[in-house]
Amino acid sequence: MQCKDMLGSLSDYLDGELEAQWCAEIERHVAECGNCRVVVDTLQKTVLLYRTYGHEEIPEDAKDRLYAVLNLKAVR
Amino acid sequence: MYNLALRLMADPHEAEDVLQETFISAFRALPRFEGRSQLGTWLYRIAYNAALMRLRKRRVRTESLDEPGVAEGVDLAPRQFTDWTALPDKLLLRRELRDSLNAALLTLPESLRGVFVLRDIEGLSTAETAAALALTETNVKVRLHRARLALREKLSAYFASGAPSAGSHKELVSHAM
C-alpha cells in the first residue's frame, strides 16, 4: 500500500466502517510511514476536537425569544 | 438545529432567525408530516433549507471563495505533517483555540460544512444526515471525508504556526497552580 491508496479510506477507518483486511493494511503502512501516521493521528484528533468542543449552545435570550415567537404564532 | 444554522450563516442573529423560521414552518407543516423520516431529521432539513434560502438571498458565494483543495473533485493530498496531537486538551478550552476551530469550519464550502456539522458535531448517523440534506449516503461519506481532511489541514497549519503561543502555555500553568 502507498500513501495515496489509504487517503480515501481514512474516514471509514476512523469510523470503524472499514473491512478488517483494509484496516490491517493501513496499520501496516502507518507503522512504516511517519507522515501518514501524523495524518491519521491528527485527522482523528480533528474529529475529536469538533465532537468535544464544536457544539455551541443556543444563548438563553435567543431561546426566550424563540419561545415567545412560537407562543405568539401558536395562538394565531 | 441552532448549531447547523449558526455554522451555515456564520452569524448568531441570522442563526436565531433561521431557528425561528424553522419552527414556524414546522408547526405549519406538522399536519402534513407523514412520519417517513424521524421528526428530528425533518426539522434539520427544514432548517437547512431555510439557511440556504437566506444564503442565496445574501448572494454569498462561499464556494468560489474557498481555497483550492477544498472544493469537490480537487486533489486533497495532505500538505501539513505537524504532529500536534499531544497538545493538552485544557489548552483547547481557551477561547482563542475554540475560535480557531470555528474559523476553520467557516472556510469549508456550505456543501461540506452542512454534512460535517450534522455528522461530527450534531452526531447524526450517515443515513440521518443523508435524509436531512437530501443526499445519498455515499455522497455524505465523500463530503464528510473531504471536510475532515480540509479541517485537518487548517488546524495543522494553525498549530504549526506556533499557536497557541508560549505565553498561552505559561498562562495556563499559572492558572493551574
Side-chain angles (χ1 to χ4, degrees):
Chain A
M1 174 180 274
Q2 294 187 334
C3 305
K4 61 180 173 56
D5 297 330
M6 58 162 250
L7 189 64
S9 304
L10 284 186
S11 275
D12 283 343
Y13 172 71
L14 294 179
D15 292 338
E17 295 176 359
L18 203 60
E19 291 170 14
Q21 187 185 340
W22 264 103
C23 291
E25 294 250 4
I26 286 176
E27 281 155 15
R28 258 198 302 277
H29 176 77
V30 162
E32 294 168 357
C33 179
N35 276 353
C36 282
R37 187 163 56 247
V38 169
V39 171
V40 172
D41 289 347
T42 50
L43 189 65
Q44 188 170 30
K45 186 78 173 182
T46 297
V47 174
L48 183 67
L49 285 182
Y50 279 100
R51 282 184 181 162
T52 310
Y53 302 116
H55 197 87
E56 291 268 353
E57 290 298 326
I58 180 171
E60 283 302 317
D61 55 344
K63 208 184 285 184
D64 291 343
R65 284 192 291 274
L66 175 65
Y67 291 149
V69 167
L70 293 179
N71 284 337
L72 187 68
K73 298 284 176 183
V75 296
R76 279 182 179 173
Chain B
M1 222 77 63
Y2 178 72
N3 271 276
L4 179 65
L6 182 65
R7 304 309 186 183
L8 287 171
M9 303 309 301
D11 179 307
H13 298 294
E14 287 216 71
E16 187 179 333
D17 289 344
V18 166
L19 203 61
Q20 290 184 5
E21 287 169 21
T22 299
F23 280 99
I24 291 167
S25 299
F27 278 14
R28 283 186 185 140
L30 200 54
R32 298 192 302 279
F33 176 63
E34 295 172 346
R36 280 187 292 194
S37 60
Q38 290 179 2
L39 188 63
T41 308
W42 181 63
L43 288 172
Y44 275 119
R45 187 163 188 163
I46 296 172
Y48 186 67
N49 287 336
L52 288 189
M53 285 286 282
R54 279 181 165 262
L55 287 171
R56 282 192 197 114
K57 281 181 190 167
R58 258 169 41 182
R59 295 175 182 273
V60 173
R61 302 289 300 274
T62 310
E63 307 232 8
S64 64
L65 297 175
D66 282 318
E67 293 175 13
V70 173
E72 291 180 52
V74 179
D75 175 32
L76 282 169
R79 290 172 181 82
Q80 298 285 341
F81 299 104
T82 304
D83 187 359
W84 46 269
T85 54
L87 196 69
D89 275 4
K90 276 184 183 175
L91 278 177
L92 295 158
L93 288 169
R94 293 177 55 85
R95 191 69 238 176
E96 172 195 342
L97 292 171
R98 297 187 72 151
D99 287 348
S100 72
L101 293 183
N102 292 338
L105 193 52
L106 290 178
T107 65
L108 295 182
E110 293 144 24
S111 59
L112 302 188
R113 211 185 314 156
V115 169
F116 183 81
V117 169
L118 291 188
R119 282 286 285 116
D120 280 346
I121 295 180
E122 296 290 277
L124 268 63
S125 69
T126 301
E128 288 167 337
T129 304
L133 305 186
L135 298 170
T136 64
E137 291 191 27
T138 302
N139 207 332
V140 167
K141 285 188 168 204
V142 169
R143 290 184 192 203
L144 178 67
H145 187 50
R146 289 182 180 281
R148 286 173 172 177
L149 287 175
L151 291 172
R152 190 206 75 85
E153 288 289 319
K154 294 282 178 191
L155 294 189
S156 296
Y158 173 74
F159 290 122
S161 71
S165 64
S168 302
H169 287 88
K170 191 176 174 184
E171 191 183 325
L172 181 79
V173 171
S174 69
H175 274 300
M177 287 174 70

